Amino acid sequence: MIRLRDLLLERLVLELPQVEKIATAIGETVTGELGSGANGVAYALQSGRVLKITPDAAEVALATRLRTKRLFKHIVNVYDVREITSGYYVILMDQITPFTENHRRIWEEVRYTYMNPEVTDSEFRNDVLDLIAGAYKTVPDSEFIERIIPQRKSLMRDFNQLRIVQREAHGGNMGWKPGNVLVHYDAWQHEHYTKLHRPMQDYARNPGETYSDLTPRNMNPTQRGLGAKLNIDLEDPQ
């Protein structure tokens, strides 16, 4: 017998039949693996959502918080969070297509202006096209700019209503939902900073400041957002 726990002690590796058992338990059907990273593996589902298996305590903590919120257009939505074995969880969430490298580079240049409510859409359009052309000495990707401009107000509204830290909307945390909907994932709420000392709280509030690449979060999942632990036999017969 190969136990799931034995596999996870090395790294997160599950055979497809095990993942299918997990998906079936939450009413979903796996269609394939999307990719893996240092802290998890994501699978595409027939419903168009994503099943992610992860031991990342911070990601799980936020997922439990988002699960208790209403659905937001521009913030990744979480539909279920369950423990599958000690320290490992399954998250059912929206499927996101990350920015391309080019779009990520452009976003880094324009994001603070984009998130500034005092800048009008026309001002943003003119300023950032000139900025990009000057920075890279190339014709800017106007299609990308025109795609994100109509979504500025609704994206800022979602950030404000969820109290998302705007500085965390960097290119590595932005992408698209179906229909070219701009969306932020791996969000940090201001509550993650409330128990930190003053410099870290200032870091959360002031977009122009830098503090650390390793900003701690509230790592405790909310019991209200955490579903019942999945009772599944995930052992592999030899």
Side-chain angles (χ1 to χ4, degrees):
M1 294 280 186
I2 300 175
R3 295 180 181 273
L4 174 66
R5 186 183 301 276
D6 296 332
L7 292 170
L8 295 177
L9 286 174
E10 296 297 326
R11 63 189 184 94
L12 196 63
V13 179
L14 299 179
E15 298 298 328
L16 186 58
Q18 294 172 300
V19 179
E20 289 174 338
K21 282 186 178 181
I22 294 170
T24 299
I26 58 175
E28 296 284 348
T29 302
V30 174
T31 59
E33 182 178 325
L34 286 173
S36 61
N39 289 324
V41 185
Y43 298 88
L45 301 174
Q46 197 172 72
S47 65
R49 296 174 179 174
V50 167
L51 182 150
K52 184 171 184 180
I53 299 173
T54 180
D56 188 327
E59 183 174 19
V60 171
L62 179 63
T64 61
R65 287 164 172 76
L66 291 178
R67 182 178 178 240
T68 63
K69 309 292 184 182
R70 68 174 178 83
L71 302 185
F72 286 81
K73 181 177 181 180
H74 298 288
I75 308 297
V76 64
N77 290 302
V78 174
Y79 305 96
D80 205 352
V81 186
R82 308 283 193 96
E83 186 178 14
I84 53 177
T85 190
S86 181
Y88 286 84
Y89 297 82
V90 58
I91 302 173
L92 181 63
M93 58 198 294
D94 287 327
Q95 182 171 348
I96 307 300
T97 302
F99 279 169
T100 64
E101 187 60 34
N102 184 49
H103 288 171
R104 181 171 177 171
R105 183 179 66 169
I106 295 172
W107 178 259
E108 291 301 329
E109 292 289 342
V110 308
R111 63 187 178 110
Y112 288 124
T113 305
Y114 184 86
M115 302 289 281
N116 184 349
E118 296 182 1
V119 177
T120 67
D121 288 350
S122 60
E123 289 172 339
F124 173 79
R125 177 184 290 105
N126 295 333
D127 289 350
V128 301
L129 290 177
D130 290 343
L131 172 66
I132 295 168
Y136 300 113
K137 310 301 182 186
T138 59
V139 177
D141 188 340
S142 58
E143 185 275 334
F144 174 77
I145 299 300
E146 294 300 333
R147 190 192 305 179
I148 66 176
I149 284 177
Q151 305 185 55
R152 287 184 69 216
K153 290 181 180 178
S154 55
L155 184 141
M156 285 189 281
R157 182 179 63 244
D158 284 358
F159 267 70
N160 291 335
Q161 291 184 358
L162 269 176
R163 301 177 304 284
I164 298 295
V165 179
Q166 290 189 7
R167 67 179 307 117
E168 296 301 331
H170 56 75
N173 287 345
M174 299 295 294
W176 309 101
K177 288 197 293 191
N180 287 329
V181 176
L182 186 62
V183 65
H184 176 54
Y185 57 98
D186 195 26
W188 291 17
Q189 292 177 291
H190 284 282
E191 285 84 337
H192 290 128
Y193 300 87
T194 55
K195 296 182 180 179
L196 302 175
H197 52 80
R198 179 60 57 184
M200 194 67 79
Q201 294 181 30
D202 291 341
Y203 167 86
R205 283 192 290 266
N206 301 322
E209 296 183 2
T210 59
Y211 189 82
S212 169
D213 291 332
L214 300 174
T215 309
R217 313 189 205 185
N218 180 344
M219 305 288 256
N220 300 315
T222 65
Q223 292 305 307
R224 191 161 65 96
L226 189 62
K229 182 176 180 178
L230 294 179
N231 184 22
I232 310 172
D233 180 8
L234 291 172
E235 295 184 1
D236 265 339
Q238 290 284 9

PDB file of all heavy atoms in Angstrom, residues 40-66:
ATOM      1  N   GLY A  40       1.636  23.090  -4.233  1.00  0.00           N
ATOM      2  CA  GLY A  40       0.361  22.498  -4.592  1.00  0.00           C
ATOM      3  C   GLY A  40       0.261  22.088  -6.045  1.00  0.00           C
ATOM      4  O   GLY A  40       1.139  22.375  -6.860  1.00  0.00           O
ATOM      5  N   VAL A  41      -0.835  21.418  -6.329  1.00  0.00           N
ATOM      6  CA  VAL A  41      -1.139  20.977  -7.683  1.00  0.00           C
ATOM      7  C   VAL A  41      -2.573  21.393  -8.000  1.00  0.00           C
ATOM      8  O   VAL A  41      -3.461  21.263  -7.149  1.00  0.00           O
ATOM      9  CB  VAL A  41      -1.007  19.444  -7.830  1.00  0.00           C
ATOM     10  CG1 VAL A  41      -1.216  19.034  -9.279  1.00  0.00           C
ATOM     11  CG2 VAL A  41       0.342  18.964  -7.337  1.00  0.00           C
ATOM     12  N   ALA A  42      -2.804  21.888  -9.225  1.00  0.00           N
ATOM     13  CA  ALA A  42      -4.130  22.337  -9.640  1.00  0.00           C
ATOM     14  C   ALA A  42      -4.641  21.450 -10.764  1.00  0.00           C
ATOM     15  O   ALA A  42      -3.879  21.055 -11.657  1.00  0.00           O
ATOM     16  CB  ALA A  42      -4.082  23.788 -10.091  1.00  0.00           C
ATOM     17  N   TYR A  43      -5.943  21.160 -10.714  1.00  0.00           N
ATOM     18  CA  TYR A  43      -6.583  20.301 -11.704  1.00  0.00           C
ATOM     19  C   TYR A  43      -7.794  21.006 -12.297  1.00  0.00           C
ATOM     20  O   TYR A  43      -8.557  21.656 -11.576  1.00  0.00           O
ATOM     21  CB  TYR A  43      -7.025  18.984 -11.069  1.00  0.00           C
ATOM     22  CG  TYR A  43      -5.882  18.177 -10.509  1.00  0.00           C
ATOM     23  CD1 TYR A  43      -5.441  18.381  -9.205  1.00  0.00           C
ATOM     24  CD2 TYR A  43      -5.237  17.209 -11.278  1.00  0.00           C
ATOM     25  CE1 TYR A  43      -4.379  17.655  -8.680  1.00  0.00           C
ATOM     26  CE2 TYR A  43      -4.177  16.469 -10.763  1.00  0.00           C
ATOM     27  CZ  TYR A  43      -3.754  16.698  -9.470  1.00  0.00           C
ATOM     28  OH  TYR A  43      -2.700  15.981  -8.953  1.00  0.00           O
ATOM     29  N   ALA A  44      -7.957  20.873 -13.604  1.00  0.00           N
ATOM     30  CA  ALA A  44      -9.141  21.413 -14.282  1.00  0.00           C
ATOM     31  C   ALA A  44     -10.325  20.502 -14.025  1.00  0.00           C
ATOM     32  O   ALA A  44     -10.185  19.278 -13.943  1.00  0.00           O
ATOM     33  CB  ALA A  44      -8.880  21.530 -15.774  1.00  0.00           C
ATOM     34  N   LEU A  45     -11.504  21.109 -13.914  1.00  0.00           N
ATOM     35  CA  LEU A  45     -12.731  20.360 -13.654  1.00  0.00           C
ATOM     36  C   LEU A  45     -13.729  20.569 -14.781  1.00  0.00           C
ATOM     37  O   LEU A  45     -13.697  21.580 -15.483  1.00  0.00           O
ATOM     38  CB  LEU A  45     -13.346  20.815 -12.326  1.00  0.00           C
ATOM     39  CG  LEU A  45     -12.460  20.660 -11.089  1.00  0.00           C
ATOM     40  CD1 LEU A  45     -13.139  21.285  -9.880  1.00  0.00           C
ATOM     41  CD2 LEU A  45     -12.141  19.192 -10.824  1.00  0.00           C
ATOM     42  N   GLN A  46     -14.614  19.627 -14.919  1.00  0.00           N
ATOM     43  CA  GLN A  46     -15.632  19.687 -15.963  1.00  0.00           C
ATOM     44  C   GLN A  46     -16.520  20.923 -15.804  1.00  0.00           C
ATOM     45  O   GLN A  46     -17.036  21.454 -16.789  1.00  0.00           O
ATOM     46  CB  GLN A  46     -16.472  18.413 -15.905  1.00  0.00           C
ATOM     47  CG  GLN A  46     -17.291  18.124 -17.148  1.00  0.00           C
ATOM     48  CD  GLN A  46     -17.932  16.757 -17.082  1.00  0.00           C
ATOM     49  OE1 GLN A  46     -18.881  16.545 -16.316  1.00  0.00           O
ATOM     50  NE2 GLN A  46     -17.408  15.807 -17.852  1.00  0.00           N
ATOM     51  N   SER A  47     -16.680  21.387 -14.588  1.00  0.00           N
ATOM     52  CA  SER A  47     -17.516  22.553 -14.316  1.00  0.00           C
ATOM     53  C   SER A  47     -16.886  23.858 -14.770  1.00  0.00           C
ATOM     54  O   SER A  47     -17.538  24.910 -14.758  1.00  0.00           O
ATOM     55  CB  SER A  47     -17.816  22.636 -12.818  1.00  0.00           C
ATOM     56  OG  SER A  47     -16.612  22.871 -12.092  1.00  0.00           O
ATOM     57  N   GLY A  48     -15.598  23.830 -15.151  1.00  0.00           N
ATOM     58  CA  GLY A  48     -14.891  25.051 -15.504  1.00  0.00           C
ATOM     59  C   GLY A  48     -14.152  25.656 -14.330  1.00  0.00           C
ATOM     60  O   GLY A  48     -13.458  26.670 -14.481  1.00  0.00           O
ATOM     61  N   ARG A  49     -14.277  25.046 -13.165  1.00  0.00           N
ATOM     62  CA  ARG A  49     -13.556  25.505 -11.983  1.00  0.00           C
ATOM     63  C   ARG A  49     -12.236  24.751 -11.838  1.00  0.00           C
ATOM     64  O   ARG A  49     -11.868  23.946 -12.682  1.00  0.00           O
ATOM     65  CB  ARG A  49     -14.434  25.334 -10.737  1.00  0.00           C
ATOM     66  CG  ARG A  49     -15.688  26.200 -10.777  1.00  0.00           C
ATOM     67  CD  ARG A  49     -16.613  25.908  -9.625  1.00  0.00           C
ATOM     68  NE  ARG A  49     -17.805  26.753  -9.670  1.00  0.00           N
ATOM     69  CZ  ARG A  49     -18.832  26.633  -8.838  1.00  0.00           C
ATOM     70  NH1 ARG A  49     -18.835  25.695  -7.906  1.00  0.00           N
ATOM     71  NH2 ARG A  49     -19.870  27.448  -8.948  1.00  0.00           N
ATOM     72  N   VAL A  50     -11.538  25.025 -10.758  1.00  0.00           N
ATOM     73  CA  VAL A  50     -10.243  24.411 -10.495  1.00  0.00           C
ATOM     74  C   VAL A  50     -10.250  23.776  -9.118  1.00  0.00           C
ATOM     75  O   VAL A  50     -10.790  24.345  -8.158  1.00  0.00           O
ATOM     76  CB  VAL A  50      -9.111  25.459 -10.569  1.00  0.00           C
ATOM     77  CG1 VAL A  50      -7.807  24.924  -9.989  1.00  0.00           C
ATOM     78  CG2 VAL A  50      -8.895  25.892 -12.006  1.00  0.00           C
ATOM     79  N   LEU A  51      -9.672  22.598  -9.025  1.00  0.00           N
ATOM     80  CA  LEU A  51      -9.458  21.933  -7.751  1.00  0.00           C
ATOM     81  C   LEU A  51      -7.976  22.040  -7.447  1.00  0.00           C
ATOM     82  O   LEU A  51      -7.139  21.615  -8.243  1.00  0.00           O
ATOM     83  CB  LEU A  51      -9.891  20.472  -7.844  1.00  0.00           C
ATOM     84  CG  LEU A  51      -9.783  19.589  -6.589  1.00  0.00           C
ATOM     85  CD1 LEU A  51     -10.862  18.513  -6.620  1.00  0.00           C
ATOM     86  CD2 LEU A  51      -8.412  18.946  -6.468  1.00  0.00           C
ATOM     87  N   LYS A  52      -7.650  22.652  -6.322  1.00  0.00           N
ATOM     88  CA  LYS A  52      -6.246  22.803  -5.939  1.00  0.00           C
ATOM     89  C   LYS A  52      -5.996  22.060  -4.635  1.00  0.00           C
ATOM     90  O   LYS A  52      -6.752  22.208  -3.674  1.00  0.00           O
ATOM     91  CB  LYS A  52      -5.867  24.270  -5.782  1.00  0.00           C
ATOM     92  CG  LYS A  52      -4.379  24.461  -5.480  1.00  0.00           C
ATOM     93  CD  LYS A  52      -3.966  25.909  -5.543  1.00  0.00           C
ATOM     94  CE  LYS A  52      -2.460  26.047  -5.329  1.00  0.00           C
ATOM     95  NZ  LYS A  52      -2.019  27.465  -5.384  1.00  0.00           N
ATOM     96  N   ILE A  53      -4.917  21.286  -4.595  1.00  0.00           N
ATOM     97  CA  ILE A  53      -4.526  20.566  -3.381  1.00  0.00           C
ATOM     98  C   ILE A  53      -3.245  21.211  -2.875  1.00  0.00           C
ATOM     99  O   ILE A  53      -2.262  21.327  -3.616  1.00  0.00           O
ATOM    100  CB  ILE A  53      -4.319  19.072  -3.678  1.00  0.00           C
ATOM    101  CG1 ILE A  53      -5.631  18.470  -4.193  1.00  0.00           C
ATOM    102  CG2 ILE A  53      -3.850  18.343  -2.426  1.00  0.00           C
ATOM    103  CD1 ILE A  53      -5.518  17.053  -4.685  1.00  0.00           C
ATOM    104  N   THR A  54      -3.265  21.666  -1.632  1.00  0.00           N
ATOM    105  CA  THR A  54      -2.159  22.467  -1.124  1.00  0.00           C
ATOM    106  C   THR A  54      -1.960  22.298   0.378  1.00  0.00           C
ATOM    107  O   THR A  54      -2.931  22.078   1.111  1.00  0.00           O
ATOM    108  CB  THR A  54      -2.400  23.959  -1.430  1.00  0.00           C
ATOM    109  OG1 THR A  54      -1.313  24.748  -0.921  1.00  0.00           O
ATOM    110  CG2 THR A  54      -3.695  24.451  -0.796  1.00  0.00           C
ATOM    111  N   PRO A  55      -0.709  22.449   0.850  1.00  0.00           N
ATOM    112  CA  PRO A  55      -0.442  22.519   2.286  1.00  0.00           C
ATOM    113  C   PRO A  55      -0.190  23.957   2.749  1.00  0.00           C
ATOM    114  O   PRO A  55       0.172  24.177   3.900  1.00  0.00           O
ATOM    115  CB  PRO A  55       0.847  21.689   2.421  1.00  0.00           C
ATOM    116  CG  PRO A  55       1.593  22.020   1.164  1.00  0.00           C
ATOM    117  CD  PRO A  55       0.534  22.233   0.079  1.00  0.00           C
ATOM    118  N   ASP A  56      -0.355  24.939   1.841  1.00  0.00           N
ATOM    119  CA  ASP A  56      -0.029  26.335   2.152  1.00  0.00           C
ATOM    120  C   ASP A  56      -1.031  26.907   3.145  1.00  0.00           C
ATOM    121  O   ASP A  56      -2.177  27.204   2.799  1.00  0.00           O
ATOM    122  CB  ASP A  56      -0.040  27.137   0.849  1.00  0.00           C
ATOM    123  CG  ASP A  56       0.477  28.565   1.045  1.00  0.00           C
ATOM    124  OD1 ASP A  56       0.265  29.129   2.120  1.00  0.00           O
ATOM    125  OD2 ASP A  56       1.076  29.100   0.102  1.00  0.00           O
ATOM    126  N   ALA A  57      -0.584  27.089   4.385  1.00  0.00           N
ATOM    127  CA  ALA A  57      -1.490  27.536   5.451  1.00  0.00           C
ATOM    128  C   ALA A  57      -2.072  28.911   5.167  1.00  0.00           C
ATOM    129  O   ALA A  57      -3.241  29.177   5.459  1.00  0.00           O
ATOM    130  CB  ALA A  57      -0.753  27.540   6.786  1.00  0.00           C
ATOM    131  N   ALA A  58      -1.263  29.808   4.610  1.00  0.00           N
ATOM    132  CA  ALA A  58      -1.747  31.158   4.330  1.00  0.00           C
ATOM    133  C   ALA A  58      -2.806  31.140   3.234  1.00  0.00           C
ATOM    134  O   ALA A  58      -3.821  31.838   3.316  1.00  0.00           O
ATOM    135  CB  ALA A  58      -0.583  32.056   3.921  1.00  0.00           C
ATOM    136  N   GLU A  59      -2.577  30.346   2.203  1.00  0.00           N
ATOM    137  CA  GLU A  59      -3.550  30.248   1.119  1.00  0.00           C
ATOM    138  C   GLU A  59      -4.866  29.661   1.616  1.00  0.00           C
ATOM    139  O   GLU A  59      -5.948  30.129   1.257  1.00  0.00           O
ATOM    140  CB  GLU A  59      -2.986  29.385  -0.010  1.00  0.00           C
ATOM    141  CG  GLU A  59      -3.908  29.282  -1.208  1.00  0.00           C
ATOM    142  CD  GLU A  59      -3.289  28.557  -2.378  1.00  0.00           C
ATOM    143  OE1 GLU A  59      -2.305  27.826  -2.186  1.00  0.00           O
ATOM    144  OE2 GLU A  59      -3.802  28.722  -3.497  1.00  0.00           O
ATOM    145  N   VAL A  60      -4.771  28.655   2.466  1.00  0.00           N
ATOM    146  CA  VAL A  60      -5.970  28.033   3.021  1.00  0.00           C
ATOM    147  C   VAL A  60      -6.716  29.015   3.914  1.00  0.00           C
ATOM    148  O   VAL A  60      -7.948  29.102   3.885  1.00  0.00           O
ATOM    149  CB  VAL A  60      -5.609  26.750   3.796  1.00  0.00           C
ATOM    150  CG1 VAL A  60      -6.811  26.218   4.555  1.00  0.00           C
ATOM    151  CG2 VAL A  60      -5.062  25.691   2.844  1.00  0.00           C
ATOM    152  N   ALA A  61      -5.962  29.785   4.715  1.00  0.00           N
ATOM    153  CA  ALA A  61      -6.588  30.759   5.614  1.00  0.00           C
ATOM    154  C   ALA A  61      -7.416  31.773   4.831  1.00  0.00           C
ATOM    155  O   ALA A  61      -8.558  32.068   5.184  1.00  0.00           O
ATOM    156  CB  ALA A  61      -5.522  31.461   6.448  1.00  0.00           C
ATOM    157  N   LEU A  62      -6.837  32.313   3.768  1.00  0.00           N
ATOM    158  CA  LEU A  62      -7.581  33.291   2.972  1.00  0.00           C
ATOM    159  C   LEU A  62      -8.737  32.628   2.243  1.00  0.00           C
ATOM    160  O   LEU A  62      -9.829  33.200   2.145  1.00  0.00           O
ATOM    161  CB  LEU A  62      -6.668  33.987   1.976  1.00  0.00           C
ATOM    162  CG  LEU A  62      -7.399  35.004   1.095  1.00  0.00           C
ATOM    163  CD1 LEU A  62      -7.978  36.137   1.931  1.00  0.00           C
ATOM    164  CD2 LEU A  62      -6.509  35.554   0.018  1.00  0.00           C
ATOM    165  N   ALA A  63      -8.515  31.413   1.730  1.00  0.00           N
ATOM    166  CA  ALA A  63      -9.588  30.717   1.012  1.00  0.00           C
ATOM    167  C   ALA A  63     -10.812  30.533   1.900  1.00  0.00           C
ATOM    168  O   ALA A  63     -11.950  30.681   1.446  1.00  0.00           O
ATOM    169  CB  ALA A  63      -9.084  29.366   0.502  1.00  0.00           C
ATOM    170  N   THR A  64     -10.606  30.218   3.180  1.00  0.00           N
ATOM    171  CA  THR A  64     -11.748  30.061   4.082  1.00  0.00           C
ATOM    172  C   THR A  64     -12.475  31.381   4.288  1.00  0.00           C
ATOM    173  O   THR A  64     -13.688  31.399   4.492  1.00  0.00           O
ATOM    174  CB  THR A  64     -11.312  29.494   5.447  1.00  0.00           C
ATOM    175  OG1 THR A  64     -10.385  30.385   6.078  1.00  0.00           O
ATOM    176  CG2 THR A  64     -10.692  28.117   5.304  1.00  0.00           C
ATOM    177  N   ARG A  65     -11.746  32.494   4.233  1.00  0.00           N
ATOM    178  CA  ARG A  65     -12.380  33.803   4.386  1.00  0.00           C
ATOM    179  C   ARG A  65     -13.184  34.155   3.134  1.00  0.00           C
ATOM    180  O   ARG A  65     -14.305  34.649   3.213  1.00  0.00           O
ATOM    181  CB  ARG A  65     -11.330  34.870   4.681  1.00  0.00           C
ATOM    182  CG  ARG A  65     -10.778  34.770   6.094  1.00  0.00           C
ATOM    183  CD  ARG A  65      -9.479  35.555   6.284  1.00  0.00           C
ATOM    184  NE  ARG A  65      -9.093  35.588   7.682  1.00  0.00           N
ATOM    185  CZ  ARG A  65      -8.538  34.575   8.340  1.00  0.00           C
ATOM    186  NH1 ARG A  65      -8.293  33.428   7.702  1.00  0.00           N
ATOM    187  NH2 ARG A  65      -8.219  34.686   9.612  1.00  0.00           N
ATOM    188  N   LEU A  66     -12.586  33.914   1.962  1.00  0.00           N
ATOM    189  CA  LEU A  66     -13.282  34.244   0.715  1.00  0.00           C
ATOM    190  C   LEU A  66     -14.512  33.372   0.524  1.00  0.00           C
ATOM    191  O   LEU A  66     -15.489  33.799  -0.090  1.00  0.00           O
ATOM    192  CB  LEU A  66     -12.330  34.091  -0.470  1.00  0.00           C
ATOM    193  CG  LEU A  66     -11.200  35.108  -0.577  1.00  0.00           C
ATOM    194  CD1 LEU A  66     -10.321  34.803  -1.780  1.00  0.00           C
ATOM    195  CD2 LEU A  66     -11.743  36.527  -0.665  1.00  0.00           C
TER     196      LEU A  66
END
